[in-house]
């Protein structure tokens, strides 16, 4: 067991001790394998002793089996990978009795089922190792997992990490890279074969898009679950370099990975004990999921996958091509997750407008708060949603809400895509209001006292350089045929009678000192600013400030604009939403908006025209 200080996961300390061993062993295996057995610090001797104890059913430090803790499947995969990578220097030198204990412990996964997301790859790599050492494995397991994986493959290199009860596949995050694209390579290495052609093609396609999600300073997009793994985001880039399945030139993967790891080191991700704590930059337990324990962050080991490459490999030796200084804006539509990525190399900011990923794997129509890791309308690499209980209960940042008669903001249910192409994206959701218990203690994703159902809210993003024009309108539930994702409202909640006002929230920026107020937003000391400007129908403005709610830094500030009075159905409201580390222009040069029956015409002062489809709704 390697038990680290900190909170326990839902699986308990016993499982967490296994996790501490498995995830650090993964890194040791990469280092020794890449050095072709070079191990001056005796890492494998130490891990070999731990391995022998962990798989011995009579040892007081034995590990939980798959039957005793489901989380053991995840950690067993790391152990199988580590043993495969170090086979000549560890496995082949183990006592036969220890080898048999290892086989018996790993074999607990054989014949099990029910893996409906990236977990299917854990079973795949475990059974690949078992097959390589003459242990038990089942072709039926592999065939079932392959079929499940193909059902979750969306296209362009993207997998949805699971599907909702209705079959909707809209769970997109970094798991598409650090799990779905890394484990096929690691299984191929266990088998001693090349990466399969389909996985090579998908990995290359994914990397060609994922590179737009990491800024020039190395900061990656803050979005999705398990963000405590930090620089594991570069694992698929290393996989591409190892498999020669990457759009990046020699040296570019090393450069990108170095910038990303250094970003986290410079931001204080190693604490005073020399450990990777739970958090993003500093320690921040608000980033935890139920499965996150004190050793969980060591899946960051995957971000050092490149250590498998020998010292003479060209990735280490080649100098990356120097990028010419540029002030241009890089706009990259990413169709599979329903995103538009907007990067500005000058300030290192990457923004993603989100009109397709909601992370929902539960029934729609229930009393659920917006998941801040998936359901915000925008994410960036230099900001995070506020994650305090109050911020989750009443979201503001990167959020569009209808405000009820008491000013309580709505939450949205599953996302229905309407349009994503070029610089324009449109989506809609049924919204609802949460009624909290009177003592305000139940503020997580469950435990709400009830909800009031609302109408359909449609939101559009129009990207213009580094700026986003955000538009919204609402329509009665029965105005449109209900899409499958929003069809069955099983919860017997009442409808809110209205009338409603609209609010658009900007980016939450965080700093170690309170961000200063600007005319229409807030700015932190390094110049990064968040600005929201009324364009149509939002004539009240303000800034919400919080202390201790944000994983980026202690203090956060979020600007917002809202309508002073009720907004009728179909009335389009709009605001310019800006996150920038450079001087902001255009604030006195706003676009004009002309609604029509089937589209909204956006006329920018530079002559650019954008058309926003309304999905058949009548707007004004």
């Amino acid at each position: 067991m390697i038990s680290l200080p900190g909170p326990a996961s839902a699986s308990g300390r016993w499982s967490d001790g296994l996790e501490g061993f498995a995830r650090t062993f993964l890194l040791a295996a990469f280092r020794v394998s890449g050095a072709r057995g070079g191990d001056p610090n005796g890492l494998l001797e130490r891990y070999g002793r731990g391995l022998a104890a962990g798989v011995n059913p009579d040892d007081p430090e034995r590990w939980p089996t798959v039957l005793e803790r489901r989380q053991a499947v995840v950690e067993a995969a790391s152990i199988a990978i580590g043993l495969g990578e170090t086979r000549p220097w560890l496995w082949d030198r183990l006592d036969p009795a220890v080898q048999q204990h290892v086989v018996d412990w790993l074999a607990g996964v054989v014949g099990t089922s029910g893996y409906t997301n990236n977990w299917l790859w854990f079973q795949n790599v475990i059974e690949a190792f078992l097959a390589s050492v003459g242990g038990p494995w089942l072709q039926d397991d592999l065939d079932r997992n392959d079929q499940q994986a193909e059902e979750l493959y969306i296209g362009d290199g993207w997998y949805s990490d699971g599907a909702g009860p209705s079959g909707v596949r809209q769970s997109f995050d970094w798991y598409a890279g650090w799990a779905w694209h890394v484990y096929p390579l690691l299984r191929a290495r266990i088998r001693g074969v090349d990466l399969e052609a389909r996985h090579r093609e998908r990995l290359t396609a994914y990397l060609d898009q994922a590179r737009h999600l990491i800024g020039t300073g190395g900061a990656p997009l803050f979005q999705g679950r398990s963000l405590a793994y930090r620089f594991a985001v570069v694992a698929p880039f290393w996989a591409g370099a190892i498999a020669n399945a990457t759009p990046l030139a020699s040296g570019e993967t090393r450069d990108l990975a170095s910038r990303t790891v250094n970003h986290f080191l410079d931001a204080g991700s190693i604490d005073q004990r020399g450990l990777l704590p739970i958090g993003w930059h500093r320690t921040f337990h608000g980033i935890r999921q139920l499965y996150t324990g004190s050793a969980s962050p060591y899946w960051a080991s995957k971000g050092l996958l490149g250590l498998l490459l020998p010292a003479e490999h060209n990735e280490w030796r080649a100098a990356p091509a120097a990028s010419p200084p540029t002030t241009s804006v890089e706009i990259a539509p990413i169709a599979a997750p329903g995103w538009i990525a907007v990067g500005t190399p000058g300030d290192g900011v990457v923004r993603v407008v989100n009109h397709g990923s909601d992370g929902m794997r539960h029934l729609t129509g229930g009393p659920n708060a917006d998941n801040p890791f998936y359901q915000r309308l925008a994410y960036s690499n230099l900001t995070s949603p506020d994650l305090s209980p109050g911020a989750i209960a009443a979201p503001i940042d990167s959020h569009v809400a209808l405000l009820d008669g008491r000013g309580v903001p709505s939450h949205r249910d599953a996302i229905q895509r309407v349009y994503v192409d070029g610089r324009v994206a449109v989506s809609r959701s049924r919204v609802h209001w949460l009624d909290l218990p009177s003592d305000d203690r139940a503020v997580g994703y469950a435990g709400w006292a009830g909800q009031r159902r609302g109408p359909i809210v449609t939101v559009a993003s129009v990207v213009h350089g580094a700026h986003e024009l955000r538009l919204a309108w609402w329509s009665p539930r029965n105005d449109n045929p209900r899409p499958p994702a929003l069809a069955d409202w099983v919860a017997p909640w009442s409808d809110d009678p209205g009338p409603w006002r609209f609010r658009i929230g900007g980016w939450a920026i965080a700093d170690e000192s309170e961000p200063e107020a600007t005319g229409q937003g807030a700015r932190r000391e390094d110049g990064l600013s968040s600005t929201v400007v009324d364009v149509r129908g939002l004539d009240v403005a303000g800034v919400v400030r919080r202390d201790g709610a944000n994983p980026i830094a202690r203090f956060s500030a979020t600007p917002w604009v809202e309508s002073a009075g009720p907004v009728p159905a179909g009335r389009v409201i709009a605001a310019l939403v800006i996150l920038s580390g450079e001087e902001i222009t255009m604030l006195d040069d706003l676009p004009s908006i002309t609604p029509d029956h089937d589209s909204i015409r956006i006329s920018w002062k530079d002559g650019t025209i954008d058309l926003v489809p309304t999905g058949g709704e009548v707007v004004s």
Side-chain angles (χ1 to χ4, degrees):
M1 301 301 226
I2 296 181
S3 299
L4 300 179
S9 73
S11 297
R13 297 286 184 188
W14 188 22
S15 174
D16 294 350
L18 163 61
E19 185 174 71
F21 182 99
R23 299 191 179 196
T24 55
F25 174 50
L26 193 64
L27 178 55
F30 293 161
R31 182 65 182 90
V32 174
S33 178
R36 301 299 184 264
D39 187 12
N41 296 310
L43 292 172
L44 293 191
E45 180 182 356
R46 177 182 177 184
Y47 278 100
R49 292 197 305 270
L51 177 71
V55 297
N56 184 345
D58 298 320
D59 195 285
E61 280 200 75
R62 78 170 179 91
W63 296 328
T65 65
V66 169
L67 290 178
E68 292 169 320
R69 291 291 188 277
R70 189 170 183 266
Q71 183 66 26
V73 175
V74 183
E75 312 315 326
S78 289
I79 289 171
I81 292 163
L83 289 173
E85 292 293 344
T86 61
R87 182 166 177 171
W89 312 289
L90 180 54
W91 174 264
D92 290 348
R93 298 179 184 180
L94 290 176
D95 182 275
V98 175
Q99 289 181 337
Q100 188 58 52
H101 281 154
V102 172
V103 168
D104 292 344
W105 184 76
L106 292 174
V109 79
V110 178
T112 61
S113 60
Y115 307 117
T116 58
N117 62 355
N118 71 88
W119 277 48
L120 61 87
W121 273 106
F122 304 145
Q123 185 177 42
N124 287 348
V125 297
I126 294 168
E127 295 200 24
F129 177 76
L130 286 170
S132 75
V133 297
W137 62 282
L138 286 177
Q139 187 64 45
D140 285 351
D141 289 347
L142 308 184
D143 291 343
R144 180 188 62 250
N145 289 342
D146 189 63
Q147 179 181 353
Q148 178 71 53
E150 291 307 299
E151 290 174 356
L152 293 173
Y153 182 64
I154 306 301
D156 294 332
W158 285 87
Y159 291 85
S160 173
D161 195 33
S166 63
V168 176
R169 303 167 298 166
Q170 294 192 158
S171 187
F172 300 102
D173 51 32
W174 285 110
Y175 273 93
W178 63 35
W180 287 99
H181 285 301
V182 167
Y183 283 95
L185 172 69
L186 296 173
R187 181 179 67 173
R189 289 175 63 86
I190 291 172
R191 290 175 167 177
V193 299
D194 291 334
L195 182 62
E196 297 171 65
R198 62 173 168 160
H199 292 305
R200 290 173 55 84
E201 293 168 0
R202 293 175 184 181
L203 173 57
T204 302
Y206 171 79
L207 295 179
D208 201 32
Q209 298 165 82
R211 61 180 172 177
H212 295 292
L213 305 179
I214 299 177
T216 51
L221 183 71
F222 185 101
Q223 182 272 341
R225 64 190 179 96
S226 300
L227 292 172
Y229 304 157
R230 295 179 173 93
F231 47 82
V233 299
V234 299
F237 291 91
W238 282 122
I242 293 168
N244 194 25
T246 176
L248 303 183
S250 294
E252 290 185 355
T253 295
R254 182 192 80 241
D255 180 61
L256 181 149
S258 296
R259 284 185 281 113
T260 301
V261 172
N262 284 330
H263 166 77
F264 285 104
L265 296 181
D266 293 343
S269 293
I270 303 295
D271 68 14
Q272 69 276 10
R273 304 165 299 181
L275 298 176
L276 275 172
I278 297 170
W280 182 245
H281 289 168
R282 58 203 172 92
T283 300
F284 187 83
H285 289 173
I287 208 173
R288 294 177 64 201
Q289 277 77 42
L290 288 174
Y291 53 78
T292 308
S294 55
S296 298
Y298 280 84
W299 238 27
S301 297
K302 293 182 176 185
L304 303 176
L305 184 68
L307 292 175
L308 288 172
L309 294 172
E312 64 274 13
H313 193 278
N314 203 36
E315 191 59 47
W316 299 121
R317 301 169 67 90
S323 300
T326 179
T327 58
S328 63
V329 178
E330 301 171 350
I331 299 176
I334 304 178
W339 294 346
I340 302 175
V342 183
T344 44
D347 58 10
V349 180
V350 171
R351 313 150 191 82
V352 165
V353 295
N354 171 36
H355 290 266
S357 179
D358 55 27
M360 291 190 67
R361 299 187 66 193
H362 54 261
L363 287 171
T364 59
N368 298 292
D370 276 17
N371 185 331
F373 298 105
Y374 290 95
Q375 289 180 288
R376 292 293 188 262
L377 282 159
Y379 295 92
S380 89
N381 66 331
L382 297 183
T383 66
S384 160
D386 281 339
L387 299 174
S388 65
I392 293 173
I396 295 177
D397 52 79
S398 295
H399 190 264
V400 172
L402 282 180
L403 304 178
D404 70 4
R406 293 179 294 139
V408 175
S410 63
H411 294 256
R412 62 177 179 168
D413 211 280
I415 295 174
Q416 180 206 357
R417 302 187 195 194
V418 176
Y419 181 86
V420 180
D421 189 36
R423 299 189 307 272
V424 178
V426 186
S427 61
R428 60 171 58 112
S429 299
R430 178 82 184 273
V431 303
H432 57 270
W433 288 266
L434 298 172
D435 292 321
L436 295 172
S438 58
D439 61 9
D440 263 2
R441 286 180 296 181
V443 290
Y445 296 122
W448 307 101
Q451 72 168 352
R452 287 164 287 125
R453 299 178 303 174
I456 303 292
V457 171
T458 302
V459 181
S461 296
V462 181
V463 172
H464 189 78
H467 304 160
E468 175 201 352
L469 179 66
R470 191 173 296 169
L471 309 97
W473 61 92
W474 69 267
S475 55
R477 172 186 169 188
N478 294 325
D479 277 0
N480 315 308
R482 288 177 292 175
L486 306 175
D488 298 318
W489 302 95
V490 296
W493 307 112
S494 61
D495 291 334
D496 187 89
W500 307 297
R501 297 180 295 120
F502 259 116
R503 182 177 69 199
I504 290 182
W507 302 90
I509 58 168
D511 205 354
E512 290 307 323
S513 58
E514 287 202 53
E516 65 173 312
T518 64
Q520 292 157 306
R523 179 188 294 111
R524 68 186 195 188
E525 285 189 359
D526 66 357
L528 185 71
S529 63
S530 174
T531 305
V532 184
V533 183
D534 168 43
V535 177
R536 194 173 198 260
L538 302 168
D539 42 6
V540 180
V543 175
V544 169
R545 296 181 178 273
R546 291 192 171 100
D547 182 351
N550 200 286
I552 301 294
R554 175 180 170 181
F555 297 100
S556 60
T558 306
W560 52 264
V561 290
E562 66 184 42
S563 58
V567 177
R571 179 69 53 83
V572 176
I573 55 91
L576 200 63
V577 181
I578 306 168
L579 176 69
S580 180
E582 301 175 329
E583 183 180 357
I584 299 174
T585 59
M586 290 178 48
L587 297 188
D588 297 320
D589 221 9
L590 302 176
S592 63
I593 298 174
T594 308
D596 200 351
H597 173 71
D598 57 359
S599 67
I600 303 169
R601 182 183 178 90
I602 311 299
S603 303
W604 301 90
K605 298 302 182 181
D606 63 6
T608 303
I609 302 294
D610 289 301
L611 295 178
V612 178
T614 64
E617 294 181 348
V618 177
V619 297
S620 62

